[in-house]
Amino acid sequence: MKIKWVSYPYLVWMMIFVVVPLLLVIYFSLTITDGGVTKFSLANYEKFFEPIYIKVLLRSIYLALISTVFCLALGYPLAMILASKEMSRKNFLILLFVLPMWMNFLLRTYAWMTLLERKGLINTFLSYINLPPLEILYTNEAVVLGMIYNFLPFMVLPIYSVLRKIDPYVIEAAEDLGANSLTVFLKVIFPLSLPGVVSGITMVFMPAVSTFVISRLLGGGQFTLIGNLIEQQFLTVGDWNFGSALSIVMMILILFSMAAMARYEKDYEGGGLW
Amino acid sequence: MKLSKWLFISVLLFSLVLTGAGCGNSSQVTLNVYNWGDYIDESVITDFEKETGIKVNYETFTTNEDMYIKIKSGGSSYDVAIPSDYMIERMIKEDMLCKIDMNNIPNINYIDPNFRNLDYDPDESYSVPYMWGTVGILYNKTMVEEPVNSWNILWDPKYQKQILMLNSQRDSIGVALKKLGYSINTRDIKELEAAKEALIEQKPLVLAYVEDDVKDKMIAGEAALAVVWSGDAVYMKWENPDLEYVVPDEGSNLWFDAMVIPKTSTHQKEAEMFINFMCRPDIALRNTEYIGYSTPHMEAKKNLSAEILNDATAYPPQEVIDKCEIFKDLGSYLKEYDRIWTEVKAQ
């Protein structure tokens, strides 16, 4: 394919802000600095395979998976409601759904801190109606809740856009042939919506597995995820080499999950990320 | 050919954009000041701008380590920073600070001689004292009934999920070391490993590892006990009279924060003006009254209200100070502390 000249600034941009930093990260991850001497070494990767860091990685994957499952369970019905023909004022509902996304997600996460606090709004309400208080701020549950809240739209919107494109005549045909609504859903709608589901899963899992802000704010610095570990290596400890190795590990993890999803997606048309 | 020409032009344009930013206002100096969060009466900065015509770009950090990395990794151009003792010692060793011409800082004579020429800067050539204090336990009297006099209370299962720790490497490891009766500057790996075990053992009891948010949490009564800096304790006690501060009997950390000029500075003269301004009696008084920390400034201290002066939190008696230890720079041994803190947090 012939590259048009308009793409050159973009290429330069990509070189400076994607390719060069990536090469730097790889370089840092493969070197160690000992007493002012820099030499190539795999020590950073070796260090990663210590049980304590593997545990951090597994914890990140575990929490990300849980929130992806929840997002799917909550997001699919929601997408169906939004896409259904009978829904009047659909645009208004979509607007309501997307509206919070226009606000910075840090602010929204801080808001959850105030809501979930021991003497926060939710607990004040619960004690008002004589229910026991919730102690969930700074726990795993709070982190997962934060992830679900922040990433749910990434699940709903791709599924919604695929569902909306399903030809209504296909469904009508199924119904004419005697399928009940459950069969229509299982045999027609769900298979047709899979591309949206797959890209929804990818779009939720990737930011969830790499987040460090949500776990920091809602986890109170106790639940170190791989994102927090990387942040700590760069900003507090100053071990850029180990931090880079961790970043590479995370990039590989993300690439793997994308590749797995892409392979699955090939059989279907559209709706995918690549 | 065409491709290389376009590449060349785009690179040229791009570099013009990058360099262009610095040339704009050569007439007006902008001073980049890097300070702890909540550590100044910000109206003081406005006054400095009004009096001198120098614009101040004010930024904050949450721990010494954050500040160090930001300056060390380059790309910043801070003219004044306010780190603590051990970090100043480290930055001097690593040649990261400019010598300050004390002739330009006549107001340094207001600083109590007891706070001058301390070990971290024995010749007083790199730093001008700003505030000082201790590290201790802040507790809520309505939630903790027993007397608080030992770090061990932070390991008491009774207070599960009622304890806030500092998300700061040297401070939190220091608490564990003091609890075990060791020096906060230990270079004994066995003692450090013991401190690590203690912190890991404590982790299930800890509600959160916090920074400046400790203030909101403690004032709102979200937790019973917290490790805090004395100056923050003064402020929190103002806001919530149920709170009390104590330096545990095992001893603690005595610290000093001082103003320095990093080598990244391009306006050393203006930076010295700023430091001198901060030491002016009325300005020092305003800062002290506003943030609640303990001042080494004699004139400012004289004008403080009796209520603050008699508060042992801000101005502890000598026997409390004698129990305390000052952080030292650990040199290359620091990486063991880094490792231990990373392992505690990753656990």
Side-chain angles (χ1 to χ4, degrees):
Chain A
M1 198 179 76
K2 208 174 145 189
I3 301 175
K4 293 227 175 73
W5 63 268
V6 281
S7 67
Y8 291 150
Y10 177 66
L11 279 179
V12 172
W13 181 269
M14 292 285 280
M15 285 297 290
I16 295 177
F17 292 108
V18 178
V19 179
V20 174
L22 203 59
L23 291 176
L24 279 176
V25 171
I26 293 172
Y27 169 78
F28 272 116
S29 75
L30 289 172
T31 53
I32 49 169
T33 311
D34 201 8
V37 189
T38 305
K39 54 177 186 250
F40 280 94
S41 157
L42 286 173
N44 298 312
Y45 291 98
E46 251 168 60
K47 190 171 169 189
F48 169 74
F49 283 103
E50 284 172 23
I52 187 165
Y53 300 119
I54 293 290
K55 218 168 110 188
V56 171
L57 180 72
L58 292 179
R59 186 186 297 140
S60 311
I61 296 177
Y62 173 68
L63 290 185
L65 277 178
I66 291 184
S67 25
T68 312
V69 168
F70 268 100
C71 279
L72 184 60
L74 289 170
Y76 200 96
L78 186 60
M80 280 192 72
I81 293 169
L82 289 177
S84 67
K85 265 198 314 257
E86 294 87 46
M87 194 73 220
S88 60
R89 302 191 185 169
K90 195 197 308 181
N91 287 335
F92 180 66
L93 253 183
I94 293 175
L95 180 77
L96 276 187
F97 188 68
V98 177
L99 203 60
M101 284 178 76
W102 293 349
M103 203 169 62
N104 188 296
F105 101 106
L106 254 184
L107 291 178
R108 285 183 277 139
T109 309
Y110 268 108
W112 271 110
M113 285 177 74
T114 326
L115 287 174
L116 295 177
E117 272 177 349
R118 255 189 205 130
K119 296 178 179 171
L121 271 178
I122 291 178
N123 279 337
T124 313
F125 176 73
L126 285 178
S127 67
Y128 182 71
I129 55 171
N130 288 323
L131 283 174
L134 282 175
E135 300 257 335
I136 72 165
L137 187 60
Y138 304 133
T139 61
N140 267 341
E141 288 78 20
V143 177
V144 171
L145 176 74
M147 288 183 183
I148 296 170
Y149 171 74
N150 278 309
F151 303 136
L152 186 61
F154 297 120
M155 181 65 86
V156 173
L157 295 177
I159 298 179
Y160 163 74
S161 70
V162 172
L163 284 178
R164 230 182 43 160
K165 275 188 251 161
I166 294 178
D167 189 345
Y169 295 125
V170 179
I171 296 167
E172 274 172 33
E175 281 164 353
D176 286 348
L177 293 169
N180 62 20
S181 50
L182 183 69
T183 318
V184 170
F185 176 74
L186 287 177
K187 300 260 171 167
V188 181
I189 300 178
F190 189 68
L192 281 175
S193 69
L194 269 179
V197 172
V198 168
S199 62
I201 289 176
T202 329
M203 286 173 74
V204 170
F205 181 76
M206 287 193 308
V209 82
S210 56
T211 186
F212 66 94
V213 174
I214 297 175
S215 46
R216 168 85 161 271
L217 294 180
L218 298 177
Q222 298 186 80
F223 298 93
T224 300
L225 303 185
I226 187 154
N228 300 92
L229 201 55
I230 295 173
E231 185 210 11
Q232 195 192 5
Q233 294 308 308
F234 277 98
L235 295 184
T236 333
V237 177
D239 188 347
W240 288 25
N241 307 92
F242 185 46
S244 300
L246 289 170
S247 311
I248 295 287
V249 168
M250 192 158 88
M251 275 186 246
I252 292 172
L253 176 74
I254 285 178
L255 280 177
F256 264 123
S257 55
M258 283 182 80
M261 292 297 175
R263 160 180 273 196
Y264 194 75
E265 228 166 75
K266 241 179 240 163
D267 308 334
Y268 303 97
E269 274 175 54
L273 279 176
W274 56 355
Chain B
M1 270 303 109
K2 250 192 159 176
L3 183 137
S4 57
K5 198 173 105 192
W6 272 104
L7 259 179
F8 177 74
I9 291 177
S10 355
V11 170
L12 198 73
L13 275 176
F14 193 81
S15 43
L16 267 180
V17 171
L18 281 185
T19 50
C23 305
N25 28 3
S26 50
S27 58
Q28 201 195 10
V29 175
T30 302
L31 210 55
N32 293 304
V33 177
Y34 202 28
N35 190 7
W36 294 81
D38 296 344
Y39 209 36
I40 199 171
D41 177 352
E42 293 203 21
S43 70
V44 160
I45 296 175
T46 323
D47 286 2
F48 176 76
E49 288 178 327
K50 262 186 223 151
E51 283 184 29
T52 60
I54 297 168
K55 204 181 158 311
V56 174
N57 178 20
Y58 183 72
E59 286 179 44
T60 59
F61 56 86
T62 47
T63 65
N64 277 305
E65 286 71 21
D66 288 357
M67 180 231 47
Y68 168 82
I69 301 278
K70 187 108 182 259
I71 292 180
K72 183 83 177 175
S73 59
S76 63
S77 55
Y78 296 113
D79 299 296
V80 178
I82 311 189
S84 309
D85 36 48
Y86 71 98
M87 197 46 86
I88 294 175
E89 193 182 338
R90 179 179 183 188
M91 292 170 90
I92 293 173
K93 270 190 209 160
E94 297 183 15
D95 194 28
M96 291 168 69
L97 300 180
C98 295
K99 286 208 169 188
I100 300 177
D101 183 355
M102 292 301 170
N103 293 325
N104 293 336
I105 316 219
N107 288 342
I108 195 168
N109 291 320
Y110 291 117
I111 304 289
D112 187 332
N114 288 325
F115 294 97
R116 297 178 63 177
N117 304 311
L118 293 173
D119 283 348
Y120 61 87
D121 182 13
D123 309 325
E124 195 171 69
S125 40
Y126 294 97
S127 64
V128 176
Y130 181 57
M131 295 285 163
W132 65 278
T134 54
V135 173
I137 301 175
L138 184 83
Y139 62 100
N140 191 317
K141 283 179 279 189
T142 61
M143 297 172 175
V144 181
E145 273 162 20
E146 63 203 286
V148 180
N149 50 25
S150 161
W151 292 115
N152 283 321
I153 197 165
L154 300 177
W155 272 260
D156 186 341
K158 202 163 48 174
Y159 299 107
Q160 185 170 19
K161 295 290 166 199
Q162 297 280 359
I163 297 167
L164 294 172
M165 287 292 282
L166 276 172
N167 191 16
S168 168
Q169 175 173 332
R170 287 293 301 265
D171 292 300
S172 282
I173 296 178
V175 166
L177 285 169
K178 276 290 166 202
K179 165 191 145 63
L180 298 166
Y182 304 137
S183 159
I184 52 176
N185 296 308
T186 185
R187 290 177 188 234
D188 182 333
I189 193 69
K190 280 200 205 99
E191 295 181 358
L192 265 182
E193 287 292 336
K196 181 182 105 182
E197 291 310 318
L199 287 170
I200 290 173
E201 181 202 327
Q202 184 207 23
K203 226 178 155 185
L205 307 180
V206 174
L207 178 65
Y209 295 86
V210 288
E211 286 149 5
D212 274 332
D213 37 342
V214 69
K215 287 180 247 182
D216 293 338
K217 298 272 170 210
M218 288 307 286
I219 291 167
E222 289 284 325
L225 297 146
V227 177
V228 298
W229 290 296
S230 53
D232 283 346
V234 171
Y235 169 78
M236 287 183 265
K237 281 164 64 182
W238 288 341
E239 298 292 318
N240 183 347
D242 289 336
L243 300 174
E244 192 48 76
Y245 175 83
V246 70
V247 175
D249 292 343
E250 295 98 333
S252 181
N253 166 226
L254 175 70
W255 52 263
F256 308 93
D257 288 347
M259 294 175 276
V260 297
I261 305 181
K263 280 252 159 96
T264 53
S265 169
T266 44
H267 305 294
Q268 206 178 338
K269 197 177 113 243
E270 287 80 3
E272 284 168 350
M273 279 167 75
F274 182 81
I275 293 175
N276 193 43
F277 182 81
M278 292 284 275
C279 292
R280 212 172 74 185
D282 59 322
I283 301 297
L285 178 65
R286 267 163 69 191
N287 279 331
T288 310
E289 284 183 333
Y290 186 83
I291 63 177
Y293 275 78
S294 328
T295 183
H297 196 287
M298 293 180 293
E299 278 302 306
K301 194 177 166 188
K302 232 182 262 171
N303 291 312
L304 285 174
S305 68
E307 191 194 348
I308 300 181
L309 280 177
N310 296 330
D311 186 349
T313 304
Y315 299 98
Q318 193 58 38
E319 71 255 25
V320 169
I321 292 178
D322 290 342
K323 283 190 300 200
C324 291
E325 219 182 329
I326 302 168
F327 279 134
K328 295 256 180 297
D329 175 43
L330 296 157
S332 61
Y333 198 76
L334 182 67
K335 66 174 192 294
E336 293 297 333
Y337 279 73
D338 286 340
R339 178 179 63 82
I340 277 175
W341 185 236
T342 304
E343 288 181 6
V344 168
K345 289 299 290 294
Q347 194 63 42

